[in-house]
Amino acid sequence: MPGIDKLPIEETLEDSPQTRSLLGVFEEDTAAISSYFSQLFKAMQRIYDAQNELSAATHLTSKLLKDYEKQRFPLGGDDEVMSSTLQQFAKVIDELSSCHAVLSTQLADAMMFPITQFQERDLREIVILKEVFQFASDDHDAAVNRYSRLSKRKENEKVKNEVMEDVYTSRKKQHETIMHYLASLNMLQYKKKIALLEPLLGYMQAQISFFKLGSENLTQQWEEFLTNIGTSVQNVRREMDSDAEATEQTIQDLKAASDPLYMPDPDPSKVPVNRNLTRKAGYLNTRNKTGLVSSTWERQYFFTQGGNLMSQSRGDVAGGLVMDIDNCSVMAVDCEDRRFCFQITAFDGKKAAILQAESRKDCEEWIATINNISKRIYLSENPEEIAARVNQSALEAVTPSPSFQQRHESFRPSTQGRPKAGRSGSQCSAGSESPALSSLSLDSLVAPDTPIQFDIISPVSEEHSGQAKSSSQGRTNPFGESGGSKSEESEDSILHQLFIVRFLGSMEVKATENADVIYETMRQILAARAIHNIFRMTESHLLVTCECLKLIDPQTQVTRLRFPLSSVVLCASHQENKRLFGFVLKTAGGRVDGRPVTVCYVFESNNDGEKICDSVGLAKQIALHSEMDRKATRKQRELDKAKEKQQEELHKQKQIEKDLEEQSRLIAASSRPGQPAADGQFLVLSNSQSEDSDAGEEGQKKGESEA
């Protein structure tokens, strides 16, 4: 390495202008070094920050790949091959993340530390020494100036000595300072080369170590794995390209075939009307009355399902029942100067819907389809098939489909014929079919000829609605409670949970062994609501406590129904539509033969029905433990009373024995009437004392005989 220019330290005492000029050159060089190293430091700092970010990003990528199998994609199935492949990738990338972390540590120690030390220690030392030298030089110049102004005529030894001492001190300080300053500037020529080469050397060594570590971790096995994955990616890409070509061809074919259908009213000669349809779906405008003479039109998606006409707005999860088209009448009508309108009227004439199609072809096809469906249902030879199909359609209309695929497959036309429906067709439960339910008949679950109650009516008013009794007589609650004697449950109950529910209906049931009776009740109530077009539901607040279940009016806070918790024998939620739940209650009152009446109540909730059932189960457990505690307390109280009574009997027995001894002594003393007492007086017994002694003797004899 070539020689380094140095400042002459030997000439610092003279402080000649040549030395000062050479010092200025070195100071300019120091400023250039400081500027250059500042930029170099920023560049290396960016390298170090980028490496830290790369290490963190690699670690995050590995973590996300490990969590892939925990993700649930709405349209993605369980791909075990993809999951296992990503797990292997996560393992490799995790090892690379460790290598990057080691590289970050090495860069911090071998690259950033030397250049940081050079900037913060060496260059900072030069700046401080320059400031100190400047101060010392100024002090020396001032001291020399004062020494030069000493008077020749009026010499003052004291002042002269002080000035000379000041010159001596300042010159010594300046000399020492400039020597250290020049020595630091000379050493800076070496340090700048070290500070420039050492970080670069550390950077290269860290990179080489990183590459060696990567080559050691990425073995031949990983290379084969990456080769296989690359082949798989190429296969997927080829499959995607072929699928894209097929899709593009399909789009072109559909565009060519659908060109006549883009017109809202196509030419009948090009697009003929199909009058043999049994299923139809498409957008229609429906007329809604907003007043006596005013009305609005709303565009909705209509489709036929079974024997029902359904509608669904955009964004809705499932369709809703518009009307039952069994034996209905349909015809084209003129309405509000609109074209292609037709009217569907129910068989009883109480409900009608006016719809508008986009074209004459659609209007005629809708009319023909509805006529075909109505005729097919009306002429069916098996009435049980009609009931099964209507019930199933009602359930599909009321209960939302659980998945995207099932929701849209229900709208596709069926390619298979409808199987013959027998008795088992009407036994389709509201949830998934269970083997127990398939082996039972409806008569074993639901009482025959039982009406369905769609409104909330108190069981008290049901049984006593026709009896006008006076308030003094009271009334009997079918749940075993008196009409006005029992007060409300205490406000300090352990459990208080409130749920918003809507009452769907209730009916009497027979079986209470399992949840199938609740599923069958849900099916019948939902089917009946759909068939009779009953969509109004009463909203209430269900209060669950440890004593009872309450249905409270949300507006007036009046209790509509109150069920003792002991009467709830079964509670379950729907297996597919979790918002539906029901519970079975066994009342205390009888019908005609005095037997208990079992009623199933069905509700719809804003919450998960399982949570409500869990809350009811928790309330019953708390009530059971409370009852067990009360029984234990009552038993302990009876034992305490028995002990107290036994203690009282023992105390009475001891008192009787004491009285008998006293009376015996008195009787013995009274048997000698002529003999005076110790004090010279005679002892005379009264009649009462005699009677007491006789009673004591009889009690003693009785006690001896009992013993």
Side-chain angles (χ1 to χ4, degrees), residues 549-591:
L549 305 180
K550 274 187 177 184
L551 285 180
I552 302 174
D553 190 334
Q555 300 294 332
T556 61
Q557 298 300 315
V558 176
T559 301
R560 290 172 173 169
L561 281 179
R562 183 181 184 277
F563 309 115
L565 200 61
S566 58
S567 64
V568 180
V569 296
L570 191 62
C571 184
S573 62
H574 197 283
Q575 294 181 348
E576 294 180 0
N577 187 358
K578 296 301 182 181
R579 298 198 306 167
L580 297 180
F581 74 98
F583 50 82
V584 179
L585 297 101
K586 184 173 291 186
T587 62
R591 268 190 161 186

mmCIF file of all heavy atoms in Angstrom, residues 549-591:
data_model
loop_
_atom_site.group_PDB
_atom_site.id
_atom_site.type_symbol
_atom_site.label_atom_id
_atom_site.label_comp_id
_atom_site.label_asym_id
_atom_site.label_seq_id
_atom_site.Cartn_x
_atom_site.Cartn_y
_atom_site.Cartn_z
ATOM 1 N N LEU A 549 -89.378 -20.306 32.095
ATOM 2 C CA LEU A 549 -89.182 -19.642 30.814
ATOM 3 C C LEU A 549 -90.323 -18.665 30.619
ATOM 4 O O LEU A 549 -91.493 -19.023 30.806
ATOM 5 C CB LEU A 549 -89.153 -20.656 29.657
ATOM 6 C CG LEU A 549 -88.159 -21.799 29.740
ATOM 7 C CD1 LEU A 549 -88.279 -22.681 28.508
ATOM 8 C CD2 LEU A 549 -86.744 -21.255 29.834
ATOM 9 N N LYS A 550 -89.997 -17.450 30.207
ATOM 10 C CA LYS A 550 -91.010 -16.409 30.029
ATOM 11 C C LYS A 550 -90.972 -15.885 28.607
ATOM 12 O O LYS A 550 -89.902 -15.647 28.049
ATOM 13 C CB LYS A 550 -90.753 -15.243 30.992
ATOM 14 C CG LYS A 550 -91.359 -15.403 32.365
ATOM 15 C CD LYS A 550 -91.183 -14.114 33.147
ATOM 16 C CE LYS A 550 -91.825 -14.193 34.511
ATOM 17 N NZ LYS A 550 -91.710 -12.896 35.217
ATOM 18 N N LEU A 551 -92.138 -15.669 28.036
ATOM 19 C CA LEU A 551 -92.295 -14.943 26.781
ATOM 20 C C LEU A 551 -92.845 -13.574 27.118
ATOM 21 O O LEU A 551 -93.975 -13.454 27.606
ATOM 22 C CB LEU A 551 -93.220 -15.693 25.819
ATOM 23 C CG LEU A 551 -92.631 -16.923 25.127
ATOM 24 C CD1 LEU A 551 -93.671 -17.555 24.222
ATOM 25 C CD2 LEU A 551 -91.409 -16.544 24.312
ATOM 26 N N ILE A 552 -92.057 -12.524 26.868
ATOM 27 C CA ILE A 552 -92.395 -11.167 27.283
ATOM 28 C C ILE A 552 -92.637 -10.319 26.053
ATOM 29 O O ILE A 552 -91.899 -10.403 25.061
ATOM 30 C CB ILE A 552 -91.262 -10.570 28.146
ATOM 31 C CG1 ILE A 552 -91.002 -11.451 29.364
ATOM 32 C CG2 ILE A 552 -91.591 -9.151 28.575
ATOM 33 C CD1 ILE A 552 -89.803 -11.018 30.183
ATOM 34 N N ASP A 553 -93.691 -9.501 26.110
ATOM 35 C CA ASP A 553 -93.980 -8.558 25.033
ATOM 36 C C ASP A 553 -92.891 -7.482 25.019
ATOM 37 O O ASP A 553 -92.668 -6.805 26.022
ATOM 38 C CB ASP A 553 -95.349 -7.916 25.261
ATOM 39 C CG ASP A 553 -95.812 -7.121 24.043
ATOM 40 O OD1 ASP A 553 -94.944 -6.663 23.279
ATOM 41 O OD2 ASP A 553 -97.027 -6.965 23.852
ATOM 42 N N PRO A 554 -92.175 -7.294 23.893
ATOM 43 C CA PRO A 554 -91.086 -6.303 23.889
ATOM 44 C C PRO A 554 -91.563 -4.861 24.024
ATOM 45 O O PRO A 554 -90.785 -4.002 24.406
ATOM 46 C CB PRO A 554 -90.404 -6.542 22.532
ATOM 47 C CG PRO A 554 -91.427 -7.201 21.685
ATOM 48 C CD PRO A 554 -92.290 -7.999 22.602
ATOM 49 N N GLN A 555 -92.832 -4.593 23.732
ATOM 50 C CA GLN A 555 -93.338 -3.222 23.814
ATOM 51 C C GLN A 555 -93.839 -2.889 25.211
ATOM 52 O O GLN A 555 -93.465 -1.889 25.810
ATOM 53 C CB GLN A 555 -94.473 -3.017 22.788
ATOM 54 C CG GLN A 555 -94.041 -3.257 21.353
ATOM 55 C CD GLN A 555 -93.021 -2.239 20.878
ATOM 56 O OE1 GLN A 555 -92.991 -1.107 21.360
ATOM 57 N NE2 GLN A 555 -92.174 -2.640 19.936
ATOM 58 N N THR A 556 -94.720 -3.765 25.739
ATOM 59 C CA THR A 556 -95.355 -3.477 27.027
ATOM 60 C C THR A 556 -94.666 -4.161 28.197
ATOM 61 O O THR A 556 -95.020 -3.889 29.342
ATOM 62 C CB THR A 556 -96.821 -3.915 26.978
ATOM 63 O OG1 THR A 556 -96.876 -5.337 26.733
ATOM 64 C CG2 THR A 556 -97.555 -3.193 25.842
ATOM 65 N N GLN A 557 -93.715 -5.064 27.907
ATOM 66 C CA GLN A 557 -93.019 -5.829 28.953
ATOM 67 C C GLN A 557 -93.988 -6.667 29.785
ATOM 68 O O GLN A 557 -93.732 -6.969 30.952
ATOM 69 C CB GLN A 557 -92.220 -4.896 29.875
ATOM 70 C CG GLN A 557 -91.137 -4.121 29.170
ATOM 71 C CD GLN A 557 -90.101 -5.027 28.517
ATOM 72 O OE1 GLN A 557 -89.657 -5.995 29.134
ATOM 73 N NE2 GLN A 557 -89.747 -4.723 27.285
ATOM 74 N N VAL A 558 -95.106 -7.058 29.183
ATOM 75 C CA VAL A 558 -96.093 -7.915 29.843
ATOM 76 C C VAL A 558 -95.761 -9.364 29.512
ATOM 77 O O VAL A 558 -95.434 -9.693 28.373
ATOM 78 C CB VAL A 558 -97.523 -7.551 29.385
ATOM 79 C CG1 VAL A 558 -98.544 -8.516 29.996
ATOM 80 C CG2 VAL A 558 -97.857 -6.125 29.777
ATOM 81 N N THR A 559 -95.871 -10.220 30.503
ATOM 82 C CA THR A 559 -95.583 -11.635 30.295
ATOM 83 C C THR A 559 -96.716 -12.282 29.512
ATOM 84 O O THR A 559 -97.865 -12.319 29.965
ATOM 85 C CB THR A 559 -95.397 -12.349 31.636
ATOM 86 O OG1 THR A 559 -94.319 -11.719 32.354
ATOM 87 C CG2 THR A 559 -95.069 -13.812 31.432
ATOM 88 N N ARG A 560 -96.382 -12.788 28.335
ATOM 89 C CA ARG A 560 -97.390 -13.463 27.518
ATOM 90 C C ARG A 560 -97.577 -14.914 27.944
ATOM 91 O O ARG A 560 -98.692 -15.405 28.039
ATOM 92 C CB ARG A 560 -96.961 -13.420 26.055
ATOM 93 C CG ARG A 560 -97.030 -12.029 25.434
ATOM 94 C CD ARG A 560 -96.418 -12.032 24.044
ATOM 95 N NE ARG A 560 -96.610 -10.742 23.366
ATOM 96 C CZ ARG A 560 -96.006 -10.384 22.242
ATOM 97 N NH1 ARG A 560 -95.156 -11.218 21.675
ATOM 98 N NH2 ARG A 560 -96.243 -9.210 21.686
ATOM 99 N N LEU A 561 -96.494 -15.620 28.148
ATOM 100 C CA LEU A 561 -96.533 -17.016 28.568
ATOM 101 C C LEU A 561 -95.454 -17.244 29.607
ATOM 102 O O LEU A 561 -94.393 -16.622 29.557
ATOM 103 C CB LEU A 561 -96.303 -17.958 27.380
ATOM 104 C CG LEU A 561 -97.481 -18.233 26.438
ATOM 105 C CD1 LEU A 561 -97.042 -19.152 25.321
ATOM 106 C CD2 LEU A 561 -98.648 -18.843 27.171
ATOM 107 N N ARG A 562 -95.753 -18.157 30.509
ATOM 108 C CA ARG A 562 -94.790 -18.513 31.547
ATOM 109 C C ARG A 562 -94.798 -20.025 31.697
ATOM 110 O O ARG A 562 -95.835 -20.621 31.971
ATOM 111 C CB ARG A 562 -95.148 -17.850 32.877
ATOM 112 C CG ARG A 562 -94.142 -18.132 33.997
ATOM 113 C CD ARG A 562 -94.583 -17.466 35.289
ATOM 114 N NE ARG A 562 -93.600 -17.635 36.334
ATOM 115 C CZ ARG A 562 -93.507 -18.715 37.107
ATOM 116 N NH1 ARG A 562 -94.350 -19.724 36.937
ATOM 117 N NH2 ARG A 562 -92.577 -18.796 38.044
ATOM 118 N N PHE A 563 -93.646 -20.644 31.472
ATOM 119 C CA PHE A 563 -93.515 -22.092 31.569
ATOM 120 C C PHE A 563 -92.586 -22.422 32.726
ATOM 121 O O PHE A 563 -91.427 -21.993 32.718
ATOM 122 C CB PHE A 563 -92.930 -22.686 30.280
ATOM 123 C CG PHE A 563 -93.638 -22.257 29.027
ATOM 124 C CD1 PHE A 563 -92.984 -21.485 28.077
ATOM 125 C CD2 PHE A 563 -94.948 -22.612 28.798
ATOM 126 C CE1 PHE A 563 -93.618 -21.096 26.929
ATOM 127 C CE2 PHE A 563 -95.592 -22.220 27.645
ATOM 128 C CZ PHE A 563 -94.932 -21.458 26.715
ATOM 129 N N PRO A 564 -93.042 -23.179 33.714
ATOM 130 C CA PRO A 564 -92.109 -23.637 34.754
ATOM 131 C C PRO A 564 -91.013 -24.501 34.138
ATOM 132 O O PRO A 564 -91.255 -25.277 33.218
ATOM 133 C CB PRO A 564 -93.008 -24.441 35.701
ATOM 134 C CG PRO A 564 -94.396 -23.961 35.432
ATOM 135 C CD PRO A 564 -94.437 -23.580 33.990
ATOM 136 N N LEU A 565 -89.814 -24.332 34.640
ATOM 137 C CA LEU A 565 -88.684 -25.052 34.068
ATOM 138 C C LEU A 565 -88.828 -26.555 34.249
ATOM 139 O O LEU A 565 -88.330 -27.332 33.432
ATOM 140 C CB LEU A 565 -87.383 -24.554 34.714
ATOM 141 C CG LEU A 565 -86.094 -24.835 33.942
ATOM 142 C CD1 LEU A 565 -86.130 -24.162 32.587
ATOM 143 C CD2 LEU A 565 -84.891 -24.363 34.736
ATOM 144 N N SER A 566 -89.535 -26.982 35.277
ATOM 145 C CA SER A 566 -89.702 -28.411 35.508
ATOM 146 C C SER A 566 -90.583 -29.063 34.455
ATOM 147 O O SER A 566 -90.524 -30.279 34.258
ATOM 148 C CB SER A 566 -90.303 -28.635 36.897
ATOM 149 O OG SER A 566 -91.557 -27.951 37.006
ATOM 150 N N SER A 567 -91.408 -28.253 33.758
ATOM 151 C CA SER A 567 -92.294 -28.817 32.739
ATOM 152 C C SER A 567 -91.600 -28.990 31.395
ATOM 153 O O SER A 567 -92.149 -29.622 30.495
ATOM 154 C CB SER A 567 -93.527 -27.924 32.568
ATOM 155 O OG SER A 567 -93.155 -26.651 32.069
ATOM 156 N N VAL A 568 -90.398 -28.397 31.206
ATOM 157 C CA VAL A 568 -89.661 -28.535 29.949
ATOM 158 C C VAL A 568 -88.944 -29.881 29.968
ATOM 159 O O VAL A 568 -88.018 -30.105 30.741
ATOM 160 C CB VAL A 568 -88.649 -27.382 29.771
ATOM 161 C CG1 VAL A 568 -87.897 -27.556 28.462
ATOM 162 C CG2 VAL A 568 -89.356 -26.046 29.802
ATOM 163 N N VAL A 569 -89.386 -30.800 29.100
ATOM 164 C CA VAL A 569 -88.822 -32.150 29.082
ATOM 165 C C VAL A 569 -87.845 -32.355 27.935
ATOM 166 O O VAL A 569 -87.070 -33.308 27.948
ATOM 167 C CB VAL A 569 -89.949 -33.193 29.004
ATOM 168 C CG1 VAL A 569 -90.816 -33.129 30.236
ATOM 169 C CG2 VAL A 569 -90.799 -32.988 27.750
ATOM 170 N N LEU A 570 -87.863 -31.474 26.910
ATOM 171 C CA LEU A 570 -86.997 -31.672 25.751
ATOM 172 C C LEU A 570 -86.796 -30.339 25.052
ATOM 173 O O LEU A 570 -87.736 -29.528 24.968
ATOM 174 C CB LEU A 570 -87.620 -32.688 24.780
ATOM 175 C CG LEU A 570 -86.740 -33.219 23.641
ATOM 176 C CD1 LEU A 570 -85.551 -33.959 24.202
ATOM 177 C CD2 LEU A 570 -87.546 -34.125 22.720
ATOM 178 N N CYS A 571 -85.582 -30.101 24.558
ATOM 179 C CA CYS A 571 -85.271 -28.865 23.835
ATOM 180 C C CYS A 571 -84.209 -29.192 22.787
ATOM 181 O O CYS A 571 -83.220 -29.868 23.082
ATOM 182 C CB CYS A 571 -84.765 -27.774 24.782
ATOM 183 S SG CYS A 571 -84.480 -26.185 23.974
ATOM 184 N N ALA A 572 -84.436 -28.736 21.544
ATOM 185 C CA ALA A 572 -83.499 -29.033 20.462
ATOM 186 C C ALA A 572 -83.607 -27.960 19.400
ATOM 187 O O ALA A 572 -84.635 -27.282 19.269
ATOM 188 C CB ALA A 572 -83.770 -30.416 19.856
ATOM 189 N N SER A 573 -82.523 -27.796 18.625
ATOM 190 C CA SER A 573 -82.496 -26.839 17.522
ATOM 191 C C SER A 573 -82.482 -27.593 16.204
ATOM 192 O O SER A 573 -82.165 -28.779 16.141
ATOM 193 C CB SER A 573 -81.257 -25.936 17.618
ATOM 194 O OG SER A 573 -80.077 -26.710 17.509
ATOM 195 N N HIS A 574 -82.841 -26.875 15.125
ATOM 196 C CA HIS A 574 -82.865 -27.471 13.794
ATOM 197 C C HIS A 574 -81.442 -27.863 13.394
ATOM 198 O O HIS A 574 -80.475 -27.169 13.705
ATOM 199 C CB HIS A 574 -83.443 -26.463 12.801
ATOM 200 C CG HIS A 574 -83.901 -27.078 11.511
ATOM 201 N ND1 HIS A 574 -83.030 -27.448 10.526
ATOM 202 C CD2 HIS A 574 -85.138 -27.380 11.052
ATOM 203 C CE1 HIS A 574 -83.708 -27.939 9.513
ATOM 204 N NE2 HIS A 574 -84.997 -27.914 9.808
ATOM 205 N N GLN A 575 -81.298 -28.989 12.692
ATOM 206 C CA GLN A 575 -79.966 -29.482 12.354
ATOM 207 C C GLN A 575 -79.340 -28.743 11.188
ATOM 208 O O GLN A 575 -78.128 -28.772 11.018
ATOM 209 C CB GLN A 575 -80.050 -30.979 12.026
ATOM 210 C CG GLN A 575 -80.431 -31.817 13.236
ATOM 211 C CD GLN A 575 -80.482 -33.298 12.925
ATOM 212 O OE1 GLN A 575 -80.447 -33.676 11.763
ATOM 213 N NE2 GLN A 575 -80.580 -34.127 13.942
ATOM 214 N N GLU A 576 -80.142 -28.064 10.350
ATOM 215 C CA GLU A 576 -79.603 -27.316 9.215
ATOM 216 C C GLU A 576 -79.798 -25.820 9.402
ATOM 217 O O GLU A 576 -78.858 -25.052 9.274
ATOM 218 C CB GLU A 576 -80.276 -27.779 7.916
ATOM 219 C CG GLU A 576 -79.949 -29.219 7.549
ATOM 220 C CD GLU A 576 -80.629 -29.652 6.261
ATOM 221 O OE1 GLU A 576 -81.351 -28.816 5.684
ATOM 222 O OE2 GLU A 576 -80.446 -30.808 5.845
ATOM 223 N N ASN A 577 -81.021 -25.404 9.706
ATOM 224 C CA ASN A 577 -81.299 -23.986 9.969
ATOM 225 C C ASN A 577 -81.179 -23.763 11.466
ATOM 226 O O ASN A 577 -82.113 -24.005 12.229
ATOM 227 C CB ASN A 577 -82.690 -23.625 9.460
ATOM 228 C CG ASN A 577 -82.967 -22.129 9.548
ATOM 229 O OD1 ASN A 577 -82.127 -21.373 10.021
ATOM 230 N ND2 ASN A 577 -84.120 -21.708 9.109
ATOM 231 N N LYS A 578 -80.011 -23.328 11.909
ATOM 232 C CA LYS A 578 -79.711 -23.226 13.333
ATOM 233 C C LYS A 578 -80.545 -22.164 14.046
ATOM 234 O O LYS A 578 -80.546 -22.121 15.271
ATOM 235 C CB LYS A 578 -78.226 -22.912 13.532
ATOM 236 C CG LYS A 578 -77.301 -24.021 13.038
ATOM 237 C CD LYS A 578 -77.574 -25.321 13.749
ATOM 238 C CE LYS A 578 -76.616 -26.411 13.296
ATOM 239 N NZ LYS A 578 -76.884 -27.694 13.977
ATOM 240 N N ARG A 579 -81.241 -21.315 13.296
ATOM 241 C CA ARG A 579 -82.055 -20.295 13.960
ATOM 242 C C ARG A 579 -83.391 -20.855 14.448
ATOM 243 O O ARG A 579 -84.089 -20.188 15.210
ATOM 244 C CB ARG A 579 -82.304 -19.128 13.003
ATOM 245 C CG ARG A 579 -81.043 -18.418 12.569
ATOM 246 C CD ARG A 579 -81.325 -17.060 12.007
ATOM 247 N NE ARG A 579 -82.305 -17.078 10.940
ATOM 248 C CZ ARG A 579 -82.907 -16.012 10.444
ATOM 249 N NH1 ARG A 579 -82.621 -14.847 10.945
ATOM 250 N NH2 ARG A 579 -83.761 -16.110 9.463
ATOM 251 N N LEU A 580 -83.777 -22.040 13.999
ATOM 252 C CA LEU A 580 -85.018 -22.671 14.443
ATOM 253 C C LEU A 580 -84.735 -23.553 15.644
ATOM 254 O O LEU A 580 -83.764 -24.311 15.658
ATOM 255 C CB LEU A 580 -85.629 -23.493 13.311
ATOM 256 C CG LEU A 580 -86.077 -22.753 12.051
ATOM 257 C CD1 LEU A 580 -86.648 -23.726 11.049
ATOM 258 C CD2 LEU A 580 -87.086 -21.669 12.365
ATOM 259 N N PHE A 581 -85.599 -23.457 16.653
ATOM 260 C CA PHE A 581 -85.484 -24.324 17.811
ATOM 261 C C PHE A 581 -86.875 -24.543 18.390
ATOM 262 O O PHE A 581 -87.835 -23.826 18.072
ATOM 263 C CB PHE A 581 -84.548 -23.713 18.875
ATOM 264 C CG PHE A 581 -85.153 -22.557 19.624
ATOM 265 C CD1 PHE A 581 -85.736 -22.717 20.871
ATOM 266 C CD2 PHE A 581 -85.142 -21.284 19.068
ATOM 267 C CE1 PHE A 581 -86.282 -21.646 21.554
ATOM 268 C CE2 PHE A 581 -85.679 -20.204 19.748
ATOM 269 C CZ PHE A 581 -86.257 -20.386 20.998
ATOM 270 N N GLY A 582 -87.002 -25.541 19.220
ATOM 271 C CA GLY A 582 -88.281 -25.841 19.849
ATOM 272 C C GLY A 582 -88.063 -26.578 21.145
ATOM 273 O O GLY A 582 -86.997 -27.140 21.399
ATOM 274 N N PHE A 583 -89.101 -26.574 21.979
ATOM 275 C CA PHE A 583 -89.033 -27.331 23.222
ATOM 276 C C PHE A 583 -90.399 -27.940 23.516
ATOM 277 O O PHE A 583 -91.442 -27.436 23.083
ATOM 278 C CB PHE A 583 -88.540 -26.482 24.399
ATOM 279 C CG PHE A 583 -89.246 -25.169 24.571
ATOM 280 C CD1 PHE A 583 -90.457 -25.086 25.220
ATOM 281 C CD2 PHE A 583 -88.676 -24.011 24.071
ATOM 282 C CE1 PHE A 583 -91.090 -23.873 25.383
ATOM 283 C CE2 PHE A 583 -89.306 -22.793 24.224
ATOM 284 C CZ PHE A 583 -90.525 -22.723 24.879
ATOM 285 N N VAL A 584 -90.373 -29.056 24.204
ATOM 286 C CA VAL A 584 -91.572 -29.824 24.537
ATOM 287 C C VAL A 584 -91.861 -29.628 26.014
ATOM 288 O O VAL A 584 -90.964 -29.745 26.854
ATOM 289 C CB VAL A 584 -91.370 -31.318 24.202
ATOM 290 C CG1 VAL A 584 -92.611 -32.110 24.564
ATOM 291 C CG2 VAL A 584 -91.042 -31.489 22.727
ATOM 292 N N LEU A 585 -93.138 -29.323 26.313
ATOM 293 C CA LEU A 585 -93.561 -29.113 27.687
ATOM 294 C C LEU A 585 -94.650 -30.111 28.038
ATOM 295 O O LEU A 585 -95.546 -30.385 27.222
ATOM 296 C CB LEU A 585 -94.099 -27.686 27.901
ATOM 297 C CG LEU A 585 -93.095 -26.557 27.694
ATOM 298 C CD1 LEU A 585 -93.303 -25.933 26.350
ATOM 299 C CD2 LEU A 585 -93.250 -25.522 28.788
ATOM 300 N N LYS A 586 -94.580 -30.638 29.233
ATOM 301 C CA LYS A 586 -95.582 -31.559 29.745
ATOM 302 C C LYS A 586 -96.385 -30.828 30.813
ATOM 303 O O LYS A 586 -95.861 -30.475 31.876
ATOM 304 C CB LYS A 586 -94.918 -32.808 30.319
ATOM 305 C CG LYS A 586 -95.917 -33.862 30.779
ATOM 306 C CD LYS A 586 -95.208 -35.147 31.178
ATOM 307 C CE LYS A 586 -94.617 -35.844 29.963
ATOM 308 N NZ LYS A 586 -94.045 -37.157 30.315
ATOM 309 N N THR A 587 -97.649 -30.550 30.498
ATOM 310 C CA THR A 587 -98.507 -29.780 31.407
ATOM 311 C C THR A 587 -99.097 -30.698 32.459
ATOM 312 O O THR A 587 -99.167 -31.926 32.297
ATOM 313 C CB THR A 587 -99.622 -29.092 30.616
ATOM 314 O OG1 THR A 587 -100.431 -30.084 29.986
ATOM 315 C CG2 THR A 587 -99.028 -28.203 29.534
ATOM 316 N N ALA A 588 -99.568 -30.081 33.534
ATOM 317 C CA ALA A 588 -100.128 -30.849 34.649
ATOM 318 C C ALA A 588 -101.597 -31.151 34.443
ATOM 319 O O ALA A 588 -102.120 -32.156 34.903
ATOM 320 C CB ALA A 588 -99.925 -30.101 35.973
ATOM 321 N N GLY A 589 -102.307 -30.280 33.735
ATOM 322 C CA GLY A 589 -103.739 -30.465 33.533
ATOM 323 C C GLY A 589 -104.031 -31.530 32.505
ATOM 324 O O GLY A 589 -103.264 -31.792 31.593
ATOM 325 N N GLY A 590 -105.175 -32.169 32.575
ATOM 326 C CA GLY A 590 -105.573 -33.191 31.630
ATOM 327 C C GLY A 590 -106.602 -32.673 30.658
ATOM 328 O O GLY A 590 -107.194 -31.611 30.833
ATOM 329 N N ARG A 591 -106.797 -33.462 29.601
ATOM 330 C CA ARG A 591 -107.818 -33.102 28.620
ATOM 331 C C ARG A 591 -109.169 -33.654 29.053
ATOM 332 O O ARG A 591 -109.970 -32.989 29.674
ATOM 333 C CB ARG A 591 -107.413 -33.650 27.254
ATOM 334 C CG ARG A 591 -106.613 -32.687 26.407
ATOM 335 C CD ARG A 591 -106.476 -33.222 25.015
ATOM 336 N NE ARG A 591 -106.124 -32.181 24.068
ATOM 337 C CZ ARG A 591 -106.050 -32.348 22.752
ATOM 338 N NH1 ARG A 591 -106.326 -33.528 22.244
ATOM 339 N NH2 ARG A 591 -105.728 -31.361 21.967
#
